[in-house]
Amino acid sequence: MLYRRFGRTGLAMPVFSCGGMRYQHKWQDTPLDQIPSDNQENLEATIRRSLEVGINHIETARGYGSSELQLGQILPKLPRDQIIVQTKVSPTADPRDFEQKLEQSLAYLNLDYIDLLGLHGINTPELLDYSLRTGGCLDVARRFQARGRVRFVGFSTHGPTEVIVRAIASDQFDYVNLHWYYINQVNWPAIEAAHRHDMGVFIISPSDKGGMLYSPPPRLVELCHPLSPMVFNNLFCLSHPQVHTLSIGAARPSDFDEHLKTLELLDRADEVLPPILHQLEQGAIAALGEDWYKTWDVGLPNHQDVPNQINIRSILWLRNLAIAFGLTEFAKTRYNMLGGASHWFPGNKADQVQSLDLRDCLRHSPHADQIPRLLAETHELLGGAAVKRLSQS
């Protein structure tokens, strides 16, 4: 395993982290006696395999159902000074609710302290205010820090880049969990800002939200040759020293195996990556056209400024991925979350686009004339039954 200094925390962070959102029994709190023994055995085997390969960062959240409770059955058995434990708790308008949930997290994890506490899902200005205002959730976290129950405080986010940068600019956080990978690089300015503030940078779910790379389509496999799409994406992310760790949402012990192939390539990333990046770019240009590929997102409005709050940028992004890389199943899954995922994936689908006038909101786009048609075509391509976030399952 390779390790990187996790920003101002000074922690030696493995370049892969063991994310705790896929091996738990349920997405709801569940009494311990109702958790099947085979599920608990699988979780514990996954943790032991993680440690065996040097991945000593175990990450979970209060919102991950039975994950914390189940981890609390194995973490106290492990050498405490050899593991890095992180959980996350969502900020709330009433900091007393946040405090109660944090107490519950610590009780479930069954540890005297945790290394990393993340304020979970700072996705909107309002949630950032709940965190930073005097007497807010961050002040609660500081009290836990002062009592030695939390070592470092950061935040996680699925929000827009401008909200992430504002949170970083407060200089109140030691690290950030955010989305950034090959198919979605819009948060690079936030990573640069985190680097300037000497914050740890944790990439959320690069193999799932980065294109469901555990089951890649043939076209993406071809374009990423000679690497698997998963190893390519890992190498792309870790070739940037500003990135410290990538989350592996392991559901079973064997889920680490493909990721580990990345390690032997890291010192040759400058040699290995450019030909694959060229293949991907040329493949996208051939499928989409060079002008569209280079300018499709210029002048696109925020979903809040679009009639019916259609998330134009996300919809066109998903269309591009389906057409250019064959990521149709991934695009369908994400597209059908629109309208039901609140601030975690905001805005609506394009099912009503033909009855709306988008001329004003698209006035800054060089593709204004064709975007309404493309949105309608994308809905035909990707539309289907509503998809819930995992935590809503």
Side-chain angles (χ1 to χ4, degrees):
M1 186 50 53
L2 300 175
Y3 300 83
R4 293 181 174 178
R5 175 182 172 275
F6 197 51
R8 66 175 75 168
T9 72
L11 294 169
M13 182 66 73
V15 295
F16 294 115
S17 292
C18 183
M21 66 182 295
R22 295 186 184 277
Y23 46 43
Q24 80 274 38
H25 172 53
K26 279 191 175 181
W27 278 96
Q28 297 79 35
D29 280 325
T30 305
L32 199 58
D33 61 6
Q34 294 181 24
I35 294 172
S37 59
D38 60 345
N39 178 268
Q40 182 65 25
E41 288 165 5
N42 175 71
L43 181 148
E44 296 196 10
T46 302
I47 296 299
R48 293 194 185 281
R49 174 61 177 161
S50 175
L51 298 177
E52 182 181 287
V53 300
I55 300 173
N56 63 331
H57 178 216
I58 314 300
E59 186 258 2
T60 185
R62 179 78 291 275
Y64 292 175
S66 62
S67 177
E68 289 176 322
L69 181 65
Q70 292 184 255
L71 284 170
Q73 307 311 300
I74 183 172
L75 295 183
K77 302 174 186 177
L78 304 175
R80 185 63 187 91
D81 61 348
Q82 295 177 29
I83 57 174
I84 301 169
V85 178
Q86 175 185 1
T87 197
K88 308 185 294 293
V89 179
S90 297
T92 52
D94 186 344
R96 292 172 296 185
D97 293 338
F98 175 83
E99 183 169 6
Q100 182 180 23
K101 290 176 182 175
L102 178 52
E103 288 280 12
Q104 188 175 32
S105 285
L106 295 172
Y108 278 166
L109 289 168
N110 203 17
L111 298 172
D112 292 334
Y113 68 93
I114 57 172
D115 301 279
L116 301 167
L117 169 65
L119 275 63
H120 192 193
I122 296 183
N123 302 334
T124 67
E126 182 179 47
L127 290 165
L128 181 58
D129 179 62
Y130 292 169
S131 304
L132 294 181
R133 65 193 182 192
T134 301
C137 298
L138 185 59
D139 282 354
V140 173
R142 297 291 186 225
R143 293 203 299 273
F144 279 72
Q145 255 187 318
R147 301 206 305 267
R149 302 188 70 191
V150 169
R151 293 182 65 195
F152 305 104
V153 179
F155 73 100
S156 72
T157 178
H158 293 225
T161 307
E162 56 267 25
V163 172
I164 305 173
V165 170
R166 279 182 55 193
I168 291 168
S170 73
D171 204 33
Q172 294 299 303
F173 298 103
D174 299 315
Y175 69 92
V176 57
N177 294 15
L178 48 64
H179 290 276
W180 185 80
Y181 19 78
Y182 177 73
I183 66 168
N184 185 1
Q185 300 176 42
V186 296
N187 281 336
W188 183 249
I191 293 177
E192 290 183 312
H195 181 67
R196 290 193 298 271
H197 284 262
D198 195 25
M199 292 170 61
V201 174
F202 171 113
I203 303 300
I204 302 170
S205 197
S207 293
D208 183 54
K209 304 303 188 297
M212 290 168 33
L213 302 180
Y214 37 78
S215 56
R219 177 159 173 78
L220 190 63
V221 171
E222 176 187 354
L223 291 171
C224 290
H225 182 78
L227 304 183
S228 70
M230 183 180 289
V231 171
F232 158 73
N233 193 48
N234 289 341
L235 190 62
F236 171 80
C237 293
L238 291 173
S239 68
H240 296 78
Q242 300 91 334
V243 170
H244 302 128
T245 188
L246 313 181
S247 178
I248 298 175
R252 59 194 66 82
S254 60
D255 284 351
F256 299 104
D257 295 350
E258 184 68 17
H259 293 279
L260 295 175
K261 296 176 183 178
T262 311
L263 299 177
E264 64 187 21
L265 299 169
L266 268 173
D267 62 355
R268 297 193 296 119
D270 289 347
E271 166 196 341
V272 174
L273 283 176
I276 300 174
L277 291 168
H278 180 72
Q279 287 171 190
L280 287 161
E281 180 179 59
Q282 292 305 304
I285 288 172
L288 299 169
E290 187 168 8
D291 182 51
W292 176 264
Y293 173 78
K294 291 183 175 180
T295 64
W296 69 271
D297 58 348
V298 172
L300 294 182
N302 187 293
H303 72 277
Q304 295 168 325
D305 300 321
V306 179
N308 205 39
Q309 296 203 0
I310 296 175
N311 192 331
I312 292 176
R313 188 192 186 283
S314 290
I315 293 169
L316 295 177
W317 169 63
L318 293 171
R319 171 188 177 273
N320 291 346
L321 297 180
I323 294 171
F325 303 137
L327 285 166
T328 306
E329 291 308 309
F330 169 77
K332 284 181 177 179
T333 298
R334 300 300 295 172
Y335 180 75
N336 291 295
M337 287 184 182
L338 289 170
S342 67
H343 54 77
W344 296 92
F345 191 47
N348 292 315
K349 295 189 279 191
D351 52 328
Q352 304 296 320
V353 68
Q354 291 172 322
S355 63
L356 301 171
D357 184 352
L358 303 183
R359 286 175 294 183
D360 184 58
C361 70
L362 289 173
R363 64 189 182 278
H364 299 302
S365 168
H367 306 288
D369 291 344
Q370 60 177 318
I371 284 177
R373 172 180 58 81
L374 296 178
L375 292 171
E377 290 177 0
T378 304
H379 181 71
E380 288 298 313
L381 175 68
L382 303 179
V387 174
K388 294 181 179 180
R389 296 178 60 241
L390 285 175
S391 59
Q392 298 170 318
S393 301

